[in-house]
Amino acid sequence: MTNVIIEVSKYVLIFLMAVYTYLNFSYFRFHDVWEQNRTCARQNVMMFFIHLIAYAILFLKSEDERVVLFYLAQLVFFTAYIGLYRLFYRNMSRILVNNMCMLLCVGFIMLTRLSFDKAIRQFLIVAVSALITWIIPFIMDRVWQLAKIPWIYGFIGLGLLVGVWIIGNNSFGAQLSVTIGGIAFQPSEFVKISFVFFVATMFYQDTDRRTIILTTAMAGAHVLVLVLSKDLGSALIFFITYLAMLFVATTDVLYLLGGLLGGCGASVLAYHLFAHVRTRVEAWRNPWADIDNRGYQITQSLFAIGTGGWFGMGLYQGMPYKIPVVEKDFIFSAISEELGGIFAMCVILICVGCFLQFVMISAKMQALFYKLIAFGLAVVYAVQVFLTIGGVTKFIPSTGVTLPFVSYGGSSVLSTFILFGVIQGLYILKKNDEEDEEE
Amino acid sequence: MRRKQTQRLDSNKSILGIAYVFVGLFLCLLVYFGYFLQVRSQTVINNSYNARLDSFADRIVRGEILSSDGQVLAQTTVADDGSERRSYPFDSLFAHVVGYSDHGKTGLESLANFYLLSSHVNLVERTANELAGDKNIGDNVVTTLDVGLQKVASDALGDHRGAVVVIEPSTGKVLAMVSKPGFNPNTLAQDWDSLISGDNTKAQLLNRATQGLYPPGSTFKIVTMLAYIRQHPNTWQDFTFDCDGSYQVGDYKISCYHGEAHGHQDIRQAFANSCNGAFASMGLDFELGGVRTMANSLLFNSELPISIAYSKSSFVLAEDAGDWERLQTAIGQGETQMTPLHNAMITSAIANGGILMKPYLIDHVESAVGETVQKFLPASYGTLMNSAEADTLSALMRGVVTAGTGSAVRTDAYAVAGKTGSAEFETGKETHSWFTGFAPVDNPQIVVTVLVEESGSGGKVAAPIARKIFDEWFSR
């Protein structure tokens, strides 16, 4: 009987998710605030139904009462977050908050299925992060000195990266984190944001040759340290983000082309210089040749996605735990296996929707500083999503980055909260300005 | 102010440009993802490393494996108490090619695992079964295998160790695949310990047809011949050789089979009589790089386009190869090793005008009520040689049957083209006996490759076995 319920609920979940995703894009059509609000309210309905049905199944399968309590705790959290954010920031972007919650919700569902303890930890981190980052829009509205301290952003960021490189913990052959007081931090997640602030402040001050050279040198230093720490995914994120920001600040296509050419050259060089780069590329080109070893993770991921197919196996019907570190970098494969390829595609589309929201906010900002920040963060987000999903589906070589808001991991969650908080802050700034002008 | 205004517009253009690039990338990702789910995934997930498939067995009764005419080769019966038993009505006859599904999975049981554990009976029935907690019936896999040919091949091989492969060259359908000694999959559980025991030297579990590596002996002269033709495109027909039973090069001596002196030989006679001296002399003349490239293009040292477990054939002729290596390699001794399946594939390409069709074993998959779920179509691997070369080799191989070592398959009923081989593998032991050929020579219907271990000459042992298979086929 439970099997039949899971079987049917699978299709219901996919349907609700598809409607949610559709609403996410239909939102762009409406300019009328009332219509926008109605779309967002419908999205909330979809999300809460998905949440409810998924947890009902998780409970049916696990028969663990703690799941019910956990569900209720999440329900309170989501309701409070969505409700209070609106109450506190009248001019906030509802759809951005909705998407945050939807992605978090998908993450919670999958993590609860994979490991109840990790799901609880994740929830605590999310709750704390939500609380801390609540204040960001408030700060941004009042502290405009943020635009004046480029070298502080630059050196703090670089310092953190160098620190990790030297004393970092080794996980899967890369130095990614430092442990302080029993908690492992992954500074590169935060440096992404400070880096965007650094570049934005530099180019806000000037875009003459001297500034460009200085900024490029600093950006190059960031990327180099990451490559040396074997954190290739982050290195790529920083590199592409910098190029994109440079292009927008100077509007000079030559920089973009030159940078891309340089990047290709550097990639070839890195391929020949570093064994770990070659390993990744080999594992991507033919994972079947070394299926026991280097190809193991990616082939297990492909088995998961392939066996799940379009409609998925249903929660608890697959074997996502066969994929090493599934709850972090490979969570997308678990989603695709159990909730289905269509559901997983919706997750991609929601992420693309967030990116487009970021870009629109960036385009609307008047001041170049804010424009660059919004745009830089948009690119950071897009590259990260692309790298992780492209990696686990073998579209591109795997680089080991997390799926923001969905993957397990404290640093990833908190930094993504900050990222969305900053964007939300910019959106609110803009709306407040518009209101002032109207008056 | 004006300047600032334009710059902002330009920035927005740049922003949109980059946004489009990213949206484009994500679209590519989505298309790729969809393609993977729809097209690639079935091939990918049917892998013994995919533990997920085993869990399907909890909800599906494993389907049947059928011969091309619908006879049951493997089936699962469910007892009243719900326990399942996999049985194989032909006992050891299809042991290697059909394989087994307990103690790991081999052969078709492994290859078709995903299909056997998928159910396509109608949705209502499936849901009803799910509700009742009953298992659904898995799909049946209809193979290309021909029970009649398989029986004849197996009987003809008798108690010898060896293998037979029969392929339809125009499609790549594998009609029969026999490996001996065999085992009985019905009693595998009881026999398992003795089968895998270290004292057991028979290696019954090995599928000699696809995994057994043997020196090709004189069947390799097909390859040497092709190399010679390519390296002497205008003069190869003028080749002659005077054979006095052994060919002396420096300290090295190459003898013909049983030291037979063939006398003055032109190229056709040398091939038909399998004159070792003549072909060894071609080896001295090899342009090494070209020969290696050609051997690789004939799938030596390469992956074979087939999905069941096989061994890679090897061809070694290093840059600094001396005379001895050249002489030996040219007559199929030396370090060359190949599987009977691979030999059948090269023969199949010759029979098919140079084009190799990928060998395949599954014709289609059907639901338990007989509706076709998936049909597999013949697919070309590529051109191994041009059609003129294929015709030349075909004519030379016809000569082997009409005027040479292949007299055992000489008959008025049908015209066979083939090549025998007697491969030495250890001093003092009988040679491995090979025959590979096809018929009818003008419009080839089947390719037959026979290998009999340690049994004597190809013409005397392997060719008569092939004869019985051709007889069976052409008596229909």
Side-chain angles (χ1 to χ4, degrees), chain A residues 186 325-332 388 401-403 407-409:
Chain A
Q186 199 170 327
V325 294
V326 61
E327 72 281 355
K328 286 188 173 169
D329 304 357
F330 281 74
I331 190 111
F332 182 82
T388 175
V401 291
T402 52
L403 185 56
S407 291
Y408 173 74

Side-chain angles (χ1 to χ4, degrees), chain A residues 383-439:
Chain A
V383 177
Q384 175 143 4
V385 171
F386 187 79
L387 287 183
T388 175
I389 298 180
V392 303
T393 53
K394 205 174 96 70
F395 186 52
I396 53 172
S398 160
T399 43
V401 291
T402 52
L403 185 56
F405 279 143
V406 185
S407 291
Y408 173 74
S411 303
S412 169
V413 165
L414 178 56
S415 72
T416 317
F417 259 104
I418 296 173
L419 193 155
F420 274 72
V422 171
I423 301 275
Q424 191 68 261
L426 294 175
Y427 185 86
I428 293 167
L429 269 179
K430 175 74 188 157
K431 281 276 170 181
N432 288 349
D433 275 0
E434 282 173 6
E435 275 188 1
D436 290 347
E437 276 171 30
E438 276 166 29
E439 282 159 19

Side-chain angles (χ1 to χ4, degrees), chain A residues 53 55 88 174 235 257 288 297 322 357:
Chain A
I53 294 170
Y55 270 88
F88 198 72
L257 294 179
W288 313 103
Q297 196 173 31
K322 288 270 175 192
Q357 290 285 342

Side-chain angles (χ1 to χ4, degrees), chain A residues 267-345:
Chain A
S267 309
V268 174
L269 201 67
Y271 178 83
H272 290 289
L273 276 179
F274 301 117
H276 60 276
V277 180
R278 279 196 298 277
T279 307
R280 293 288 174 102
V281 175
E282 287 310 317
W284 169 68
R285 270 154 88 177
N286 188 4
W288 313 103
D290 195 10
I291 192 166
D292 273 319
N293 213 332
R294 283 174 300 183
Y296 187 77
Q297 196 173 31
I298 183 68
T299 49
Q300 286 296 331
S301 167
L302 293 179
F303 291 154
I305 296 170
T307 314
W310 291 102
F311 297 102
M313 305 290 293
L315 281 168
Y316 280 102
Q317 308 289 321
M319 298 183 176
Y321 45 83
K322 288 270 175 192
I323 314 168
V325 294
V326 61
E327 72 281 355
K328 286 188 173 169
D329 304 357
F330 281 74
I331 190 111
F332 182 82
S333 315
I335 294 170
S336 191
E337 174 176 15
E338 297 211 325
L339 298 172
I342 300 176
F343 195 98
M345 279 184 157

Side-chain angles (χ1 to χ4, degrees), chain A residues 292 310 319 337 363 371 393, chain B residues 12 32 38 49 52 59:
Chain A
D292 273 319
W310 291 102
M319 298 183 176
E337 174 176 15
K371 193 183 270 304
T393 53
Chain B
N12 277 356
Y32 163 84
Q38 186 63 37
Y49 279 82
R52 290 163 181 82
R59 292 162 73 179

Side-chain angles (χ1 to χ4, degrees), chain A residues 41-60:
Chain A
R42 284 181 179 161
Q43 280 194 316
N44 288 338
V45 174
M46 296 302 143
M47 187 194 90
F48 281 114
F49 268 116
I50 291 173
H51 192 218
L52 175 67
I53 294 170
Y55 270 88
I57 292 167
L58 291 172
F59 173 66
L60 268 178

Side-chain angles (χ1 to χ4, degrees), chain B residues 50 64 68 116 126 132 141 155 193 203 222 243 264 361 365 406 461:
Chain B
N50 186 3
E64 294 172 351
S68 58
L116 296 168
R126 258 190 284 170
V141 167
D155 292 347
D193 287 337
I222 295 171
C243 172
H264 183 79
L361 285 157
V365 179
V461 183

